[in-house]
Amino acid sequence: MPPMDATSSSDITTLHPDIIRSHILNRLDGPTLASASSATLHLRRLCTDHNLWRTICAANWPSLNQPKAAALIDTFPAAHRSVFSDSFPSIQYSPPPHPITPQLSPEFVSAVDLYYKGKPVFSRVITTETQKGWFLSSPLWVDLLDTNEVVPTPLIFAKCDEESSWLAHLEENLGLSWIVIDPTRKRAANLSSRRPVAARRHWLTGDLEVIFAVTMETVQWVIRVTCCGKAGGAMHVREASLTMEDTEGRHVTGRDSFVILQDAMENGERRKPDPEEAKARFDKFCRLKREIRERKLRRDSVMDTVAMLVSFTIFVSLFWFMVFGF
């Protein structure tokens, strides 16, 4: 075989762009495609193809195929590529102690997908209006499902003697994505830990709760998925809600929550999703809440004791004065 000369290079630029797109690039996942785009200028031009990123987003988040979400994404600077770069990574952010309050966007759009063993079982897009008085001053509470609505799943409710292993199974195999899109600023963020940080029975109602969370130092986004069903029968989702709480366990108002979210979208750090790290951050946040609550209880107990002593002293003094006159 004769030796290859310099002109018979196997450089990828010698391949027809259609071959690269159809036989190479459309087989890559999002992170790999993003890495490939930084290899050469030629690949960068090919990797920014809108249809490639539309397909990747549809595979990861079926909710983005729904008309409202799709129309909104088309207004982004790089369409689906912009949403992927914002929403695939995990967001890390620490709210400043005295944040500057920006103009709040009139609405936010949530694109939510529930998965079991990596396969989507339910998707929905909802809109949250931010200009209403109840939203601005009340604790944030975004409901995904309508009243009395239940969502069937392929899971079977465990029997009582199997519950501990079943809860571990849910933590391993149930997944959720909750992407919040800001239509005004053309930014997005995923407020779910992707895999559950906890699965447990509610201490009061006994309902099964599967919890997803994203911790932002002094506050935490919490998604609670409440499930129902009979032992040995099909499991249904009857509630899924998004809230924000602080380290004292108080729910943050709608306005303050989305002010924090807007700043996190603009200034937060995006990192590779790590479910184990998300769970560790959730556990740390819960420990901090518990410590603050215990300190508050001890402080309140001391204040109650002091108040009782002061009241007793005043009572004894008045009694002494009334009886002895001095």
Side-chain angles (χ1 to χ4, degrees), residues 38-67:
S38 62
T40 67
L41 184 60
H42 179 64
L43 274 178
R44 178 171 179 80
R45 285 196 294 266
L46 295 177
C47 289
T48 55
D49 180 79
H50 176 64
N51 290 325
L52 286 173
W53 288 102
R54 182 193 296 275
T55 301
I56 287 173
C57 285
N60 280 277
W61 308 297
S63 59
L64 298 185
N65 278 332
Q66 297 187 19

Side-chain angles (χ1 to χ4, degrees), residues 70-71 95 160 165 187 251 264 269 273 289 320:
C160 294
S165 60
R187 297 302 302 265
H251 286 283
E269 179 186 357
K289 277 199 310 180
W320 187 273

Side-chain angles (χ1 to χ4, degrees), residues 3-11 14:
M4 295 179 63
D5 58 27
T7 61
S8 60
S9 170
S10 59
D11 191 293
T14 62

